[in-house]
Amino acid sequence: MSPPVAPPGWSRWLVPPAALSVHLSIGQAYAWSVFKPPLESALGLSGTESALPFQLAIVMLGLSAAFGGTLVERNGPRWAMTVALVCFSSGFLISALGAATEQYWLIVLGYGFVGGIGLGIGYISPVSTLIKWFPDRPGMATGIAIMGFGGGALIASPWSAQMLESFGADHSGIALAFLVHGMSYAVFMTLGVLLVRVPRTAGAAAAAGPSSVTGVQVSARSAVRTPQFWCLWVVLCMNVTAGIGILEKAAPMITDFFADTSTPVSVTAAAGFVALLSAANMAGRIGWSSTSDLIGRKNIYRLYLGLGALMYALIALFGDSSKPLFILCALVILSFYGGGFATVPAYLKDLFGTYQVGAIHGRLLTAWSTAGVLGPLIVNWIADRQEEAGKHGSDLYSLSLFIMIGLLAVGFVANELVRPVHTRHHVPAPKEAVDVAARQQSESA
């Protein structure tokens, strides 16, 4: 399935909404914490067990993005969005069956494995296309689309909470909520499949000859052999681990932090907190990535990692004494978390060029897979152990927060080590031009 080439006069501003329709849908993953308490109660799960579908989904996101990146580049964004639609919606339907029959392994299979493949292919589907449409503002362009992934929970969190209240928080109510999610997202993602276009001029420019190709150009195969790729891998992994640990545990965490105070947090307020984090995640993706076009990618990651560590320290030391401080620091951390995702495609473009940048981005997202296991595992496992030891409230999370500070420090050092790619890894301009022209011609066929 090849996407139609944009006709003359087609506005490039129609492409970001196509990407948003997919990213807003798959961004539901960030609202998983709303389902954790009902699943734990209905199926008798621990916090670590209820995190498993989310963890597996993030693992499959990274793996499917890595292995499918080249296919996305070859077959085009419409093919990728269609695959994402089928897998993501099917994952919810399988999970609905699992909840209805009280077979938790089906929820893990559906939401985690099948749905996770949809996450990965859907996440990278518009990236290289957007960079080609907006070569002048790559940070802003990818930020517009990728902010949808961060903002998905802004819609899904209150929507899911309302469904659980209406349908019931038992296994049958959860099943019905999963079913509605799967069907609704299938319709919404179809809009992106129908709307997406590839730029007409990209193939013509490449075919015009070596003079039309400027800047560094590195193939995906060569990119993974460079120290720059692996430094960015560490940067992304550390930043994501630090953010995703809070995000996956957001609703239970704020409830625990203030459970022993005079102003405890209700279930409804906790769901609202998840929605606020989603808003910060979304705003950071467009705001910070656009800022990176002005101040540079390395500088913006210095902000993400350095100031992010300070925010974690404030939560660890003073978070339980001030609800506004806790919420403010969490919002800043999640804005940096989202900004890191939206900025990294432009960082890759700066280092490796536009040639196969989508495939390189897919391979880099294996860092997300690793972080998707590490973040929730650190927070949930330590919280479970602390609870067994008789601790409660903010004490459940103190050790986890200090570990996150250390991880952000590691990421800060890795970012400082990033240097321009050595010329031996560059693709010769004539070969790159021919390859790009051939790929665009196959997409147009």
Side-chain angles (χ1 to χ4, degrees):
M1 179 185 296
S2 297
V5 176
W10 179 269
S11 173
R12 64 179 182 171
W13 293 101
L14 293 174
V15 180
L20 272 173
S21 70
V22 173
H23 275 236
L24 279 171
S25 298
I26 62 177
Q28 184 281 334
Y30 284 142
W32 177 253
S33 65
V34 175
F35 285 103
K36 280 172 64 66
L39 281 171
E40 291 167 16
S41 176
L43 301 181
L45 306 173
S46 67
T48 302
E49 290 171 334
S50 66
L52 185 57
F54 176 81
Q55 288 178 287
L56 181 57
I58 300 302
V59 169
M60 294 309 301
L61 185 158
L63 294 178
S64 60
F67 289 104
T70 303
L71 289 174
V72 171
E73 288 283 304
R74 182 184 306 139
N75 297 326
R78 174 167 288 184
W79 173 87
M81 289 179 178
T82 302
V83 172
L85 185 160
V86 172
C87 291
F88 188 66
S89 297
S90 297
F92 268 113
L93 299 183
I94 295 171
S95 297
L97 177 62
T101 59
E102 299 185 70
Q103 297 295 316
Y104 186 58
W105 69 271
L106 279 175
I107 299 177
V108 175
L109 173 67
Y111 191 92
F113 185 80
V114 179
I117 294 173
L119 290 181
I121 300 299
Y123 189 86
I124 64 172
S125 60
V127 170
S128 64
T129 301
L130 283 166
I131 288 177
K132 290 168 187 172
W133 275 109
F134 294 88
D136 53 331
R137 287 179 283 181
M140 181 213 68
T142 54
I144 289 175
I146 293 176
M147 76 172 182
F149 193 88
L154 188 62
I155 300 170
S157 180
W159 183 38
S160 300
Q162 183 59 49
M163 278 195 285
L164 290 171
E165 183 177 339
S166 301
F167 301 152
D170 59 358
H171 70 92
S172 60
I174 296 170
L176 190 53
F178 282 155
L179 179 64
V180 172
H181 275 76
M183 297 176 67
S184 299
Y185 284 133
V187 174
F188 193 58
M189 293 172 76
T190 301
L191 298 176
V193 173
L194 297 176
L195 188 60
V196 71
R197 300 287 190 278
V198 295
R200 174 178 296 273
T201 56
S211 61
S212 65
V213 179
T214 59
V216 175
Q217 303 296 332
V218 181
S219 70
R221 184 176 182 181
S222 295
V224 297
R225 300 175 181 176
T226 65
Q228 289 82 358
F229 177 89
W230 292 106
C231 283
L232 277 187
W233 193 98
V234 172
V235 167
L236 184 63
C237 184
M238 298 300 100
N239 193 53
V240 173
T241 300
I244 209 168
I246 281 187
L247 195 59
E248 188 274 336
K249 190 78 169 177
M253 181 180 287
I254 192 171
T255 302
D256 291 335
F257 250 80
F258 298 98
D260 299 329
T261 69
S262 59
T263 56
V265 177
S266 66
V267 174
T268 302
F273 175 63
V274 174
L276 275 178
L277 292 182
S278 178
N281 189 352
M282 179 174 63
R285 289 172 188 243
I286 182 60
W288 294 124
S289 61
S290 296
T291 303
S292 77
D293 287 334
L294 302 175
I295 69 173
R297 320 304 172 195
K298 179 173 282 192
N299 286 333
I300 203 71
Y301 272 96
R302 286 168 174 155
L303 180 69
Y304 298 156
L305 299 161
L307 188 55
L310 176 61
M311 294 296 103
Y312 263 110
L314 289 175
I315 291 178
L317 297 174
F318 309 110
D320 59 344
S321 62
S322 173
K323 193 177 296 182
L325 177 66
F326 178 93
I327 295 173
L328 177 62
C329 290
L331 292 177
V332 172
I333 290 170
L334 264 295
S335 77
F336 291 161
Y337 169 83
F341 278 120
T343 308
V344 81
Y347 209 160
L348 292 172
K349 181 257 183 187
D350 293 346
L351 289 171
F352 303 110
T354 57
Y355 179 57
Q356 295 190 341
V357 67
I360 298 171
H361 185 220
R363 286 160 171 78
L364 190 75
L365 290 181
T366 54
W368 195 356
S369 293
T370 304
V373 173
L374 284 179
L377 182 62
I378 290 170
V379 175
N380 284 289
W381 187 84
I382 291 177
D384 287 345
R385 300 292 81 76
Q386 298 289 62
E387 188 174 13
E388 290 174 1
K391 295 185 178 181
H392 54 85
S394 61
D395 290 339
L396 297 175
Y397 305 99
S398 297
L399 178 58
S400 300
L401 296 174
F402 284 112
I403 290 174
M404 297 305 178
I405 294 171
L407 294 178
L408 288 173
V410 171
F412 190 94
V413 172
N415 183 53
E416 294 302 307
L417 297 176
V418 174
R419 298 290 186 272
V421 177
H422 195 279
T423 54
R424 70 174 179 272
H425 298 291
H426 295 186
V427 175
K431 179 181 185 298
E432 195 270 337
V434 170
D435 286 350
V436 173
R439 186 170 69 253
Q440 290 294 326
Q441 184 177 1
S442 68
E443 290 182 350
S444 303

